[in-house]
Amino acid sequence: MQKKYVYLFSEGNATMRELLGGKGANLAEMTHIGLPVPQGFTVTTEACTQYYEDGRKINDDIQAQIMEYIDKMESITGKKFGDKNNPLLVSVRSGARASMPGMMDTILNLGLNEEVVEVMSEMSGNPRWAWDCYRRFIQMYSDVVMEVGKKYFEELIDKMKAEKGVTQDVDLTADDLKTLAGQFKAEYKSKIGQDFPSDPKEQLMGAVEAVFRSWDNPRANVYRRDNDIPYSWGTAVNVQMMAFGNMGDDCGTGVAFTRDPATGEPGLMGEFLTNAQGEDVVAGVRTPMPIAEMADKFPEAFKQFNEVCATLEDHYRDMQDMEFTVEHGKLFMLQTRNGKRTAKAALKIACDLVDEGMIDKKQAVAMIDPRNLDTLLHPQFDTKALKAATPMGKGLGASPGAACGRAVFTAEDADAWNARGEKVVLVRLETSPEDITGMKASQGILTVRGGMTSHAAVVARGMGTCCVSGCGDIIMDEANKKFTLGGKTFHEGDYISIDGSTGNIYDGIIPTVDAEIAGEFGRIMAWADEFRTLKVRTNADTPADAKKARELGAEGIGLCRTEHMFFEAERIAAFREMICADTVEEREAALAKILPYQQGDFEKLYEALEGNPVCIRFLDPPLHEFVPTEEADIAALAKAQGKTVEDIKNIISSLHEFNPMMGHRGCRLAVTYPEIAKMQTAAVIRAAINVKKAHPDWNIVPEIMIPLTGEVKEMKYVKDVVVATADAEIAAAGADLKYEVGTMMEIPRACLTADEIATEAEFFCFGTNDLTQMTFGFSRDDAGKFLTAYYDKKIYENDPFAKLDQNGVGKLMKMAVKLGKETRPNIHCGICGEHGGDPVSVEFCHNIGLDYVSCSPFRVPIARLAAAQAAIKASK
Ligand code: ADP
Ligand code: MG
Ligand code: MG
C-alpha cells in the first residue's frame, strides 16, 4: 500500500505528534474541538526523512500527494491558487515533534503574484493590504527558499522609510509598498539570476522543500543538541489558509499564554499588535500592546479568545502558548502548545494545577523539565545588596535570575570574552537567531527593543538565562560598542547587573547568594521523592560542598576525591617529601605527617553526613601532578629532604609520562606504594571510629573505593592491604565497625570481567568520565578540538562526556551490573561521573538497576526529579 504523506487538519489529532509534528497535531486537535482554525494540511515528518533519504529531493509520490491535497484544500476553502476572483493564499510553516521556536522558517501569503495582487487590491478596495502581503511574501520567500538574506530587504525598507520620513512600517503607503515589492523582485533577480516565481504551485513546492532543508540549518542543529532532539526525527510542514491581521485597524495579531510563563501566576498574559502580520509581534520592530488592551479594541474577539483559552487549558491540562489573528474583528487560532516557561513558573503551575484538581501529583512531577531547575539552583542577588542598590533603568523582566558581568555588544564578543573566562552581559538592540551561541555564552541578556515574547525573551527563558528586554531608555550605539542609560555611558567591558525578575538594571557589581529549596520547589521535590527508587548522592570533597548537597537533598557521598586534600599549603610539602622519598621508611615518615590532616578531613565529612553513606576514593592522579615547578619550591624541597636541587629535578623528570591518563595512576599507585593505601585506610577508619563515638546512633559504614581497577588480582592485592590495615585499626581501638571495599568501574576491562572483580569488590561505582574516555579512546580534554566536525557530519549528535553513550559505554555498564550480581547478588552499584546529573542518563541508570547516582551538589535536585520521572515512566 502507498504510504500516506499528507493529512488534512481534520484527519489528524494531538496523539499524532510524531507524524504531524507538534504544530500540525495541535492544529488538528483544535480543529476537532471546534475552534476557529484556518484549514489546511500537514506534510508528515516521514516525508522529511524520505526527502533526506532521497538525497534532498521531494520524490514524485510525495509531490503527487501534495498536489492532491491542494485540490482538497481548494474545495474546502472555496478558494483557488492563482484565481482571479477568489485567490487562495497560504502560510507554509515548519513544525517538529518538539517545538523549536525561531529555529526554522515560516512563509506567509504564498500564492501571490503580479496578477493576483492587483485583483486582491481592487476587490478589497485595500491596496495597502494587498501590497503589504506581497512585499512580505517576496521577502520571506527569498530569505527562506533562496537564502538571499534578510539584510538586503531590511535595508531597502529602511531606505524607503527614511525617504518618506516615517519610522514605522505601518506608515508606508500602498504605493510605497508597491515600489518596495518591485525593488525586492529586482533584488531577487540580481541575486538568483531568475525571475521571482509566479506560479503558486511552484512556489509551494519550493517552500515545502525549504522547510525540509531548514531542519538541517546550523542554528537548528545547535538547538537540537542543547535540547536532546534527535536529528532523525525530521520536521513536518503545515500548509494553512491565511487569516489576515494586516487588513486595517480592525485586524491584528497576537501571542498569549494562559498563565504567566515567567512567574506562573494564573491569568492571561500576552501581547497584541493591530494591523500587523506574523512575526511582527515577536520581531521587536514595533512594541506591542498588552493583551488586556485587546478588550477595548476587539471586545467580541477578546471575549471569544478568553473562552478559547479556558477550553484549551481544560483540554490539555497545562498552560498553553497560543498564536492568533483577528481579521475584521473575527478570531482565528493559529497555534497552541504547552508553553515554555521558567523553572519558577513550571513549579508554580504544576502545584496550582494539582490544587485546582486538574492533574495529580505524579503528573505534576512528570511535567517539569529537570534541566530547567538548574536556574533555580544558581545564585540570586543578595537581597540586602539589592535593596541598597538603585536601579539606573528598567526593562521587562523577561527571564528570571540574576546576572552580573561585563557589557558586550555582539554575540561574537560574548563568545570571545566568555572563552577568556570573563562573565558577560550581552547588550543588544534586539537579538536574532544568529545570536544563539553568543546568548549561551552570556550570564544575561539585555535588549533595547522587544516585549515578553521577543526572540531574546523566548530563547533566554528556554536556556534558563536571565533576560531583561525592551529597555527603551537605553541610548544604544552598537557600532561604537557603547550605550547610555541613566545619564551614564557604558563601554565594552564595564560591569552591569540585571535582574530578570523585576527588569531592573544596575550599574556595577551586585553580590549574589545561593538559592534554596522552599515553597513550590519543596513541594515538588517532596512528591518526586515519593515516586523515585534510585538514591541520589553527591560528589563532594569538602565538608562545605557536602553540607550544600545535603541541603539540596543528597543522601550520601558517592565520590570523595582525596587528592584535592593534598594540595593545601601545609600538606603539599609533606606529600612532596613522600614522592621524593628513597626508602619505604622515608615514605612512611612523610605519610605519617599527612595522616592527621586526612583523618580530620574525613571526620568533618562524617559529621556533615550524619550517618549517611560516605564513599572515599583513594589517591588517583599521577604523582607528577603534585611535584613543584617553581625553582624556589624545588629548592625548599631539596633542603627538607637533604638532597641537592639536581637530585630533586632528576626525580621530577623521572616521573614524566608520555600518556599520563593511562600511566602510573589509580590503584597502580597503591600497588607500587602500598603505604599510601595503608595511610589512607588508617585515616578513614580512625575518623569513622571517632565520629561514631560522638554519635553512637549514626550508622557509619565507611566505603573505601579503589580507583581504576582493571584486573581482579590487582583489586585483591590492594584490598588485602586495606583490610589488614583496617582490621588492625579496629582491633587496636577495640571498636565495632563495619566497612566496605569496592571499586570504581572506569576501565572497560573491569566491566568485561565484572564477575571476577565482584569476587573482591563489595560495590561498583561507575566512573563514567574515565570509562567514556577509555571506551571511545579519546580524552575529554582534547575532544573539543574535533567533536565539532563530528557534529557537523552527524557522526555524533552530542558530547559523550555530557550525555552518557548508552549504546557503547552504557552497554558495558549494563553488562557489568549483570555480571557483578551473578557473583555477588547484593553488590550495590552507582555512578559518579558527570552523567549522574544528566536527566536522560539518570533514566538509563534507573533502567539498568543501579542503586544510586552521584552528582555535583547543584545537580542533586535535578537528579532527584529525573529519578522520579524515570520511575514513573518505567511503571507505565
Ligand atoms: P514559529 O514556529 O516560528 O512560531 P509559525 O509557523 O508559528 O512560526 O508562524 C509564525 C507566525 O506567522 C505565527 O505566529 C502567525 O502569526 C503567522 N502565521 C502563520 N500561519 C498563518 C496563517 N495561516 N494566517 C495568518 N498568520 C499566520
Ligand atoms: Mg518562525
Ligand atoms: Mg508559532
Side-chain angles (χ1 to χ4, degrees):
M1 214 191 82
Q2 192 198 28
K3 191 167 204 169
K4 184 169 163 69
Y5 285 111
V6 187
Y7 289 77
L8 288 173
F9 291 168
S10 56
E11 292 177 301
N13 64 57
T15 65
M16 292 163 77
R17 164 180 283 273
E18 290 191 8
L19 193 61
L20 304 179
K23 198 178 286 167
N26 286 333
L27 283 168
E29 189 77 9
M30 285 199 291
T31 299
H32 282 296
I33 310 174
L35 301 183
V37 177
Q39 284 305 291
F41 59 82
T42 305
V43 186
T44 64
T45 54
E46 289 177 352
C48 179
T49 31
Q50 190 60 45
Y51 163 83
Y52 282 102
E53 260 169 49
D54 292 339
R56 299 185 176 232
K57 264 194 206 70
I58 305 184
N59 70 33
D60 293 345
D61 177 21
I62 299 174
Q63 293 213 23
Q65 292 193 36
I66 293 174
M67 289 303 168
E68 182 192 331
Y69 274 75
I70 293 174
D71 289 346
K72 287 194 187 178
M73 189 170 168
E74 286 177 338
S75 65
I76 292 172
T77 60
K79 295 172 187 280
K80 251 181 141 47
F81 260 161
D83 196 76
K84 308 274 153 5
N85 295 312
N86 199 2
L88 172 65
L89 299 195
V90 298
S91 63
V92 177
R93 321 169 63 189
S94 65
R97 268 194 236 178
S99 103
M100 298 171 54
M103 290 302 127
M104 290 173 297
D105 298 299
T106 298
I107 297 168
L108 303 180
N109 312 322
L110 185 143
L112 278 171
N113 55 35
E114 288 291 330
E115 277 172 358
V116 174
V117 75
E118 292 290 359
V119 169
M120 260 173 46
S121 158
E122 208 153 296
M123 275 184 353
S124 64
N126 189 347
R128 192 198 174 278
W129 162 65
W131 288 101
D132 186 48
C133 288
Y134 195 34
R135 70 90 190 165
R136 285 174 191 267
F137 170 53
I138 304 169
Q139 203 175 336
M140 286 189 252
Y141 191 88
S142 307
D143 179 37
V144 176
V145 179
M146 299 319 232
E147 292 161 8
V148 173
K150 287 193 186 81
K151 202 174 86 217
Y152 300 104
F153 299 102
E154 276 158 14
E155 280 169 11
L156 287 170
I157 297 177
D158 285 344
K159 211 169 116 221
M160 176 66 78
K161 285 198 279 198
E163 266 168 33
K164 298 286 160 178
V166 301
T167 53
Q168 303 269 9
D169 291 1
V170 276
D171 296 327
L172 293 172
T173 64
D175 281 339
D176 299 339
L177 293 166
K178 184 172 178 173
T179 312
L180 272 178
Q183 291 175 353
F184 286 2
K185 291 211 314 196
E187 184 72 40
Y188 180 93
K189 187 161 185 188
S190 86
K191 287 275 165 351
I192 306 286
Q194 276 172 16
D195 282 324
F196 190 83
S198 59
D199 173 10
K201 290 188 179 168
E202 184 191 332
Q203 293 171 352
L204 181 70
M205 216 49 87
V208 171
E209 178 173 358
V211 172
F212 286 162
R213 193 160 9 102
S214 72
W215 178 248
D216 197 26
N217 77 32
R219 61 175 197 262
N221 282 317
V222 170
Y223 186 91
R224 271 196 296 275
R225 205 153 52 241
D226 288 349
N227 291 279
D228 292 338
I229 302 173
Y231 178 74
S232 63
W233 280 3
T235 180
V237 186
N238 301 289
V239 177
Q240 184 177 29
M241 190 176 88
M242 286 302 301
F244 295 103
N246 59 339
M247 288 176 99
D249 289 332
D250 62 345
C251 304
T253 186
V255 295
F257 299 87
T258 53
R259 296 170 196 240
D260 189 324
T263 63
E265 284 305 323
L268 196 58
M269 170 114 188
E271 286 164 335
F272 188 77
L273 262 183
T274 52
N275 198 11
Q277 193 176 43
E279 312 281 10
D280 290 359
V281 180
V282 292
V285 181
R286 280 161 69 192
T287 301
M289 59 179 111
I291 194 91
E293 287 181 32
M294 197 181 148
D296 298 334
K297 293 253 185 286
F298 307 109
E300 272 308 307
F302 187 64
K303 186 167 156 274
Q304 194 191 353
F305 183 61
N306 275 292
E307 286 160 14
V308 167
C309 289
T311 307
L312 285 175
E313 260 215 0
D314 194 54
H315 190 75
Y316 287 98
R317 308 266 150 168
D318 197 356
M319 183 265 270
Q320 294 299 295
D321 167 4
M322 301 150 301
E323 298 175 359
F324 63 94
T325 280
V326 176
E327 179 180 322
H328 294 318
K330 183 172 169 10
L331 176 74
F332 290 97
M333 294 303 298
L334 297 173
Q335 188 172 337
T336 195
R337 63 177 171 223
N338 293 343
K340 289 210 187 295
R341 63 205 74 181
T342 63
K344 194 175 153 205
L347 296 168
K348 171 145 181 66
I349 290 170
C351 289
D352 283 355
L353 289 174
V354 169
D355 295 341
E356 290 163 25
M358 296 265 267
I359 58 174
D360 61 25
K361 287 192 284 184
K362 237 185 211 174
Q363 287 165 315
V365 167
M367 77 190 281
I368 288 161
D369 182 351
R371 290 171 308 175
N372 219 343
L373 297 182
D374 200 41
T375 50
L376 296 178
L377 299 165
H378 285 299
Q380 309 278 315
F381 283 131
D382 173 57
T383 342
K384 263 215 198 111
L386 195 64
K387 270 212 186 102
T390 315
M392 58 172 173
K394 193 173 168 65
L396 300 169
S399 178
C404 173
R406 313 177 87 133
V408 292
F409 293 85
T410 67
E412 294 75 42
D413 288 338
D415 256 350
W417 285 69
N418 178 54
R420 295 202 295 272
E422 296 280 0
K423 294 197 149 74
V424 298
V425 174
L426 178 63
V427 189
R428 303 274 294 152
L429 269 179
E430 64 211 6
T431 62
S432 65
E434 293 79 57
D435 294 336
I436 298 274
T437 37
M439 293 169 76
K440 259 169 57 183
S442 307
Q443 306 296 306
I445 297 149
L446 172 60
T447 70
V448 182
R449 297 187 195 143
M452 292 296 283
T453 49
S454 65
H455 177 267
V458 172
V459 173
R461 280 199 294 271
M463 300 192 304
T465 300
C466 154
C467 174
V468 173
S469 69
C471 177
D473 292 340
I474 291 179
I475 303 160
M476 186 65 157
D477 183 355
E478 275 187 333
N480 293 304
K481 300 192 176 177
K482 59 181 190 182
F483 72 89
T484 306
L485 181 62
K488 180 171 168 183
T489 300
F490 292 79
H491 297 92
E492 186 180 43
D494 290 347
Y495 274 101
I496 56 170
S497 301
I498 60 174
D499 184 333
S501 308
T502 59
N504 284 335
I505 304 159
Y506 303 87
D507 181 2
I509 301 169
I510 298 185
T512 53
V513 291
D514 284 353
E516 56 170 8
I517 298 183
E520 277 120 8
F521 196 0
R523 276 181 90 189
I524 295 280
M525 291 316 298
W527 294 339
D529 291 345
E530 280 176 34
F531 300 122
R532 73 184 161 92
T533 53
L534 199 60
K535 296 261 184 221
V536 177
R537 296 195 190 183
T538 191
N539 299 348
D541 308 332
T542 64
D545 278 357
K547 197 167 156 277
K548 175 90 245 165
R550 290 270 292 140
E551 281 162 24
L552 297 174
E555 296 164 296
I557 291 182
L559 173 65
C560 165
R561 304 175 181 87
T562 49
E563 52 270 19
H564 294 249
M565 302 171 164
F566 293 117
F567 278 110
E568 280 175 36
E570 309 150 326
R571 313 168 181 201
I572 190 79
F575 200 71
R576 286 172 178 163
E577 285 172 30
M578 190 283 290
I579 294 173
C580 295
D582 290 323
T583 62
V584 174
E585 290 70 30
E586 277 178 33
R587 209 172 294 120
E588 281 175 344
L591 285 164
K593 294 187 196 170
I594 304 170
L595 195 150
Y597 291 123
Q598 279 242 291
Q599 183 183 330
D601 291 334
F602 295 150
E603 282 172 7
K604 287 194 203 101
L605 278 182
Y606 287 127
E607 294 280 355
L609 265 292
E610 301 172 331
N612 290 291
V614 177
C615 181
I616 290 168
R617 180 184 67 183
F618 278 8
L619 189 66
D620 181 52
L623 296 181
H624 55 77
E625 286 190 9
F626 299 91
V627 296
T629 50
E630 304 283 323
E631 285 295 331
D633 292 339
I634 294 174
L637 181 57
K639 201 168 160 221
Q641 294 279 96
K643 291 197 168 89
T644 67
V645 166
E646 208 53 61
D647 288 339
I648 298 293
K649 286 192 173 166
N650 283 338
I651 293 173
I652 292 175
S653 66
S654 76
L655 289 170
H656 169 80
E657 290 178 317
F658 289 100
N659 192 345
M661 287 315 304
M662 297 190 156
H664 190 188
R665 55 175 286 225
C667 63
R668 294 157 207 160
L669 292 170
V671 170
T672 41
Y673 307 121
E675 43 290 353
I676 302 179
K678 281 186 203 157
M679 181 279 285
Q680 293 202 288
T681 306
V684 167
I685 299 297
R686 288 181 197 177
I689 290 172
N690 278 353
V691 175
K692 216 179 148 164
K693 242 184 247 157
H695 304 279
D697 50 322
W698 289 358
N699 178 31
I700 297 181
V701 182
E703 296 176 11
I704 292 173
M705 181 152 74
I706 311 299
L708 224 68
T709 302
E711 154 64 42
V712 65
K713 285 187 204 139
E714 74 183 333
M715 172 74 203
K716 178 167 171 16
Y717 176 82
V718 181
K719 188 184 171 188
D720 287 349
V721 170
V722 170
V723 168
T725 311
D727 289 353
E729 289 289 339
I730 293 167
D736 170 26
L737 185 78
K738 286 204 189 65
Y739 63 94
E740 287 184 354
V741 186
T743 181
M744 195 113 158
M745 300 292 272
E746 47 191 339
I747 288 188
R749 194 178 187 281
C751 296
L752 295 165
T753 60
D755 46 348
E756 295 171 19
I757 306 264
T759 57
E760 297 294 333
E762 290 164 285
F763 63 86
F764 288 165
C765 187
F766 293 95
T768 46
N769 298 344
D770 264 313
L771 188 59
T772 299
Q773 182 157 264
M774 307 239 192
T775 302
F776 278 85
F778 54 70
S779 105
R780 77 182 123 141
D781 300 314
D782 298 315
K785 293 184 192 129
F786 53 81
L787 273 183
T788 322
Y790 275 66
Y791 298 149
D792 290 346
K793 304 196 160 113
K794 313 268 166 7
I795 298 173
Y796 297 144
E797 282 189 51
N798 32 48
D799 178 358
F801 293 103
K803 194 153 299 306
L804 188 72
D805 160 47
Q806 299 187 7
N807 294 346
V809 177
K811 194 181 216 172
L812 282 171
M813 292 168 68
K814 204 169 158 180
M815 179 201 300
V817 172
K818 185 168 167 280
L819 290 175
K821 287 192 173 160
E822 279 169 14
T823 305
R824 191 188 287 268
N826 64 347
I827 191 166
H828 59 101
C829 303
I831 179 178
C832 61
E834 259 347 270
H835 305 99
D838 169 62
V840 179
S841 310
V842 170
E843 184 184 348
F844 178 80
C845 293
H846 173 91
N847 292 338
I848 64 168
L850 295 195
D851 299 290
Y852 65 88
V853 298
S854 186
C855 55
S856 61
F858 284 106
R859 301 200 71 88
V860 165
I862 298 174
R864 283 162 70 194
L865 183 58
Q869 293 182 346
I872 291 170
K873 207 162 145 192
S875 74
K876 271 190 193 142

